[in-house]
Amino acid sequence: MEHYVLMNVVKNEDKERGIAMEQIRSIVCAGNITPKACVRTYGCQQNVADSERIKGMLSQMGYDFTEQTEEADLILFNTCAVREHAELKVYGNVGALKSLKAAKPEMLIIMCGCMMQQETVQNQIREKYAHVDIVFGPSMIPQLPMMMAQVLTERSRVFTRLELPEIAEDLPIVRDDAHKAWVSVMYGCNNFCTYCIVPYVRGRERSRSSAEIIKEIEELVASGYRDITLLGQNVNSYGKDLEGEMDFADLLAAIDRIEGNFWIRFTTSHPKDCSIKLLDTMASCKKVCHQLQLPFQSGSNKILKDMNRHYTAESYYDLIKYARKVMPDVVVTSDVIVGFPGETEEDFQATLDLVNKVQFDNLYTFLYSKRTGTKAALAENQVEESVKKERFNRLLALQHPVCLAKNQEMEGKDYPVYVESVSKNDSKVLSGKTMGGKTVDFPGSADLIGQFCTVTVTKAKSWSLEGKIKE
Ligand code: SAH
Ligand code: SF4
Ligand code: F3S
């Protein structure tokens, strides 16, 4: 008989986790079998980083990994809820697993991540996707082994919307890449921008202790990682929730002092708390990349107010001017939403004006998507889909040539580049990143991967650069 269980284990107990992982290993690896897990990640880098911890635990339970759902004994989707499109994709993909499960009933299907923290989604899955075994939100990840043990021993389904306030520090990690790494510095968000679901699904802001962050980075640097990205929904809020902790600028400066040859980046910062101190710190630290991802969302002060963003188009532009004054080579990228409720043609013109004034290196453009539970979803003056799309296309037409022009400014100049991989299309071509985060392709031999070299940019394209190694 099928029944639903709400987890009773709510603490982050390392010991319990260890026992559960051993128990699962003895079940799933019985008879010397190596079971296979397929982990799919949707959404932002926070989810990518979460999945690396999920894989760390699965690996400790004895699982190997596969990309193919057909050959998997466990399928886990780590989902995103930020726009409707992201959710529809997940429903489609999980529906497609039904026949796999019918053919292999002992297989485990697990859904987690932001989308799964929502009550309506859990109800849908409970009722319409009977082949899914476990459903939980982002903060319950450390409890995965306990939930799996429950399902494997009782063959029940587990659905939980519990939120764990603590951060589990010592989870094992299987990193996707041997050269660049993600390090979460804080979780959650307190900002409640009126369009955004993230604060509802990721909970309140929680910062990791700086000692833990520094320890993780020291270990990464010692094991050869050279490109490290600090993650948080709003990294500038770092430390506000901890007594006597440093702020984000102090944290950057402390990381900069760690010995070794490596680069440090971060994402994302909110303009309302992007301080002069932070920009000055970026400018003065040697290892901190001059890369600023600073979402502005709209150029209209009326819309910004309705979005609950707490800055104006003018103050945003001032910030960018200051950043460029102290870091002339800074690469500035941003997010913008088109068609927020009540956006008039005039409001949209203000967005175009700001985009034109700033000249972003790159812009991530989104059509406003109504998220149930947020304030903006209740607004009656929703913008028509056709109007949104038409504005969206005008925005792309404005930004597209700017991306190319920005890259053209780099032609003929030399840049330090971190070599990441061999190009997918040509085995004699390497692909690397500049400190600003731009991709450069250049001829070279694969033994340079994981090293820094100086590259002269020879040709600019809209989304990447071509170059040659400077002798
Ligand atoms: N915490 C980050 C962004 C997280 S979500 C920040 O505040 O900068 C990433 C981007 O998705 C946002 O910057 C926003 O541009 C977009 N986004 C969030 N909610 C959205 C919605 N309901 N519709 C369309 N775009 C949205
Ligand atoms: Fe969402 Fe705003 Fe928080 Fe970013 S700062 S995650 S956009 S609520
Ligand atoms: Fe999506 Fe959650 Fe990130 S909603 S964008 S995966 S924080």
Side-chain angles (χ1 to χ4, degrees):
M1 199 188 72
E2 185 178 86
H3 55 285
Y4 310 111
V5 188
L6 250 183
M7 294 291 301
N8 47 10
V9 196
V10 292
K11 279 183 291 178
N12 269 332
E13 289 199 17
D14 293 346
K15 194 166 147 234
E16 283 208 50
R17 188 180 309 113
I19 294 168
M21 291 201 282
E22 267 319 300
Q23 188 187 8
I24 295 163
R25 182 192 264 280
S26 69
I27 299 173
V28 299
C29 301
N32 253 343
I33 288 170
T34 305
K36 288 198 168 124
C38 173
V39 176
R40 293 245 169 104
T41 309
Y42 303 79
C44 67
Q45 266 122 17
Q46 297 253 326
N47 264 14
V48 174
D50 285 349
S51 287
E52 293 184 336
R53 286 184 161 72
I54 290 170
K55 286 189 215 162
M57 289 188 284
L58 290 174
S59 164
Q60 210 154 315
M61 296 177 217
Y63 285 90
D64 241 348
F65 298 101
T66 174
E67 302 287 319
Q68 258 71 51
T69 51
E70 292 76 17
E71 58 176 45
D73 303 288
L74 178 154
I75 298 173
L76 181 146
F77 287 175
N78 189 8
T79 63
C80 170
V82 79
R83 285 169 290 274
E84 190 186 17
H85 176 72
E87 296 202 341
L88 295 178
K89 215 161 57 181
V90 168
Y91 278 126
N93 292 347
V94 73
L97 301 179
K98 199 167 184 169
S99 55
L100 278 183
K101 175 89 169 190
K104 205 177 185 182
E106 70 287 358
M107 151 195 275
L108 279 181
I109 300 186
I110 304 173
M111 311 274 292
C112 65
C114 297
M115 177 179 167
M116 298 303 139
Q117 188 60 30
Q118 304 169 98
E119 194 177 357
T120 47
V121 172
Q122 290 213 354
N123 290 341
Q124 276 272 59
I125 294 191
R126 201 192 306 264
E127 284 153 27
K128 301 211 180 109
Y129 299 83
H131 56 294
V132 176
D133 299 293
I134 305 178
V135 178
F136 60 96
S139 72
M140 283 292 279
I141 286 170
Q143 302 284 317
L144 174 66
M146 288 77 137
M147 293 187 265
M148 284 174 62
Q150 185 163 343
V151 171
L152 287 171
T153 54
E154 297 174 21
R155 283 320 303 190
S156 59
R157 302 173 83 190
V158 172
F159 284 73
T160 177
R161 296 184 57 240
L162 281 173
E163 282 184 53
L164 281 185
E166 313 100 276
I167 296 172
E169 278 298 349
D170 290 318
L171 297 186
I173 307 179
V174 170
R175 296 194 191 263
D176 291 339
D177 195 292
H179 308 290
K180 58 177 179 204
W182 317 110
V183 174
S184 293
V185 300
M186 47 100 57
Y187 300 90
C189 180
N190 289 356
N191 288 321
F192 290 94
C193 303
T194 55
Y195 50 82
C196 186
I197 196 75
V198 171
Y200 301 92
V201 293
R202 285 245 165 209
R204 294 296 65 71
E205 286 175 358
R206 285 148 288 149
S207 303
R208 288 177 72 191
S209 85
S210 57
E212 291 286 354
I213 296 166
I214 286 168
K215 189 177 96 190
E216 184 175 345
I217 294 175
E218 282 171 346
E219 286 166 6
L220 284 169
V221 173
S223 46
Y225 286 87
R226 297 287 171 262
D227 193 343
I228 294 165
T229 304
L230 309 180
L231 299 179
Q233 286 305 337
N234 175 16
V235 289
N236 310 92
S237 291
Y238 176 78
K240 282 185 190 165
D241 56 318
L242 297 179
E243 190 91 10
E245 242 332 327
M246 35 180 94
D247 67 14
F248 185 65
D250 299 331
L251 179 69
L252 270 186
I255 295 170
D256 192 63
R257 287 192 293 271
I258 296 175
E259 296 238 337
N261 191 15
F262 65 98
W263 287 354
I264 195 99
R265 318 175 185 276
F266 59 88
T267 190
T268 303
S269 21
H270 191 305
K272 86 175 155 65
D273 359 70
C274 177
S275 61
I276 295 296
K277 177 180 171 187
L278 175 66
L279 297 173
D280 286 343
T281 306
M282 285 175 75
S284 65
C285 288
K286 289 243 156 18
K287 295 166 188 163
V288 176
C289 294
H290 292 178
Q291 178 183 14
L292 196 58
Q293 155 66 7
L294 197 63
F296 74 99
Q297 314 298 4
S298 169
S300 152
N301 290 340
K302 184 193 93 202
I303 297 289
L304 284 171
K305 189 147 189 285
D306 290 347
M307 286 178 162
N308 192 32
R309 291 288 289 181
H310 299 280
Y311 55 85
T312 62
E314 295 74 28
S315 69
Y316 181 88
Y317 186 51
D318 286 345
L319 264 181
I320 301 293
K321 276 193 294 195
Y322 187 81
R324 286 181 171 151
K325 189 177 106 191
V326 294
M327 296 175 279
D329 60 343
V330 68
V331 167
V332 182
T333 58
S334 193
D335 295 351
V336 52
I337 297 176
V338 174
F340 181 83
E343 184 190 77
T344 61
E345 176 59 27
E346 200 185 344
D347 295 319
F348 178 65
Q349 279 297 337
T351 292
L352 293 178
D353 286 347
L354 188 58
V355 169
N356 196 28
K357 241 161 73 178
V358 173
Q359 302 277 299
F360 292 104
D361 286 88
N362 205 350
L363 193 56
Y364 303 95
T365 44
F366 303 107
L367 288 168
Y368 169 72
S369 169
K370 207 167 157 179
R371 306 282 66 212
T372 309
T374 63
K375 196 166 165 219
L378 301 172
E380 277 165 13
N381 47 0
Q382 301 286 332
V383 177
E384 267 205 51
E385 217 51 41
S386 59
V387 176
K388 276 191 218 172
K389 292 219 171 93
E390 184 265 339
R391 287 180 189 162
F392 188 80
N393 291 337
R394 276 153 69 201
L395 179 60
L396 291 189
L398 171 64
Q399 177 59 34
H400 200 130
V402 180
C403 292
L404 180 62
K406 281 278 168 187
N407 284 346
Q408 280 168 338
E409 286 172 13
M410 298 172 73
E411 280 179 346
K413 295 184 193 149
D414 298 338
Y415 292 88
V417 164
Y418 182 58
V419 188
E420 290 185 336
S421 58
V422 171
S423 155
K424 281 186 210 89
N425 311 321
D426 185 344
S427 65
K428 291 193 196 72
V429 174
L430 299 174
S431 189
K433 283 258 169 357
T434 65
M435 271 191 122
K438 297 208 176 184
T439 303
V440 197
D441 296 322
F442 52 96
S445 83
D447 51 3
L448 286 173
I449 291 173
Q451 298 188 35
F452 293 105
C453 59
T454 303
V455 171
T456 311
V457 173
T458 52
K459 184 169 180 236
K461 299 191 284 186
S462 293
W463 316 120
S464 68
L465 305 157
E466 286 174 13
K468 61 174 199 290
I469 295 177
K470 192 178 159 83
E471 297 304 335

